[in-house]
Amino acid sequence: LQIMTTFAPSSRFDAGRSIRTGLITMATISLHNFPEGIAVLLSTIRGLKVGVLFAVALSLHNVPEGMSVAAPVYYATHNVGLAIGLPLVSGLFEPLGAALAGLLLLPFVTEFRLLAMLSVVGGIMAGLSVQELLPSGVQHAGRRRAGVACVTGAFVCFATLRVLDWSLG
């Protein structure tokens, strides 16, 4: 938090707000990716087909997550390396979660604990979307475009879940 407040203080300056949004999004997505890695590991243990499909679904939804970090960072800094590097770092928390779960946590991770972790992180992500991402989208694209993007994103998530559910039987 000290780093974020030092380098990205909250202010009315667009670049400052954008870098702050990007860093908060990165931190939140990093926390979000850690239990996802555990979920991939556990679903793979249940069955290779389920694990592969789950990993593919998570990979697809990691693209807009990375974009939600990269876009505000690039807008604020115009630094391509930073705009690629920060989402990469947040994405690496997923395999880190799987590796640590496999090495240390597997005996203690139950389905209930996993669902509880994913629920808490999902709540954090929903709060982040309402508090940071949606206002940033409205500021940069306007209310109509931001609303259309929000509804489209929700529909794509719903459709992906339905297709995944259908393909698993």
Side-chain angles (χ1 to χ4, degrees):
L1 288 175
Q2 182 62 34
I3 293 171
M4 287 193 302
T5 56
T6 301
F7 293 108
S10 178
S11 70
R12 292 190 178 268
F13 182 61
D14 286 347
R17 179 172 173 96
S18 289
I19 193 71
R20 179 177 177 271
T21 296
L23 291 174
I24 290 171
T25 304
M26 179 195 164
T28 306
I29 289 175
S30 297
L31 291 173
H32 167 84
N33 283 341
F34 191 83
E36 282 183 351
I38 297 169
V40 170
L41 174 71
L42 293 178
S43 64
T44 304
I45 289 171
R46 285 188 174 172
L48 185 59
K49 179 181 176 184
V50 174
V52 168
L53 288 172
F54 195 67
V56 168
L58 286 178
S59 297
L60 291 174
H61 104 272
N62 284 343
V63 172
E65 285 180 358
M67 290 169 56
S68 69
V69 174
V73 169
Y74 182 75
Y75 173 79
T77 66
H78 299 287
N79 182 327
V80 174
L82 199 58
I84 292 171
L86 291 179
L88 177 65
V89 168
S90 69
L92 290 174
F93 274 78
E94 201 164 295
L96 178 65
L100 287 177
L103 294 173
L104 305 172
L105 302 176
L106 198 55
F108 306 106
V109 175
T110 64
E111 187 169 346
F112 174 78
R113 289 179 183 151
L114 175 64
L115 292 174
M117 283 191 295
L118 290 173
S119 296
V120 167
V121 172
I124 292 169
M125 293 299 292
L128 169 73
S129 296
V130 171
Q131 181 100 13
E132 292 287 335
L133 297 178
L134 189 57
S136 180
V138 168
Q139 178 184 6
H140 297 295
R143 291 181 82 169
R144 183 173 174 83
R145 285 184 177 167
V148 168
C150 186
V151 170
T152 302
F155 176 76
V156 168
C157 288
F158 172 77
T160 302
L161 286 173
R162 290 295 111 215
V163 168
L164 184 60
D165 189 44
W166 173 77
S167 67
L168 290 175

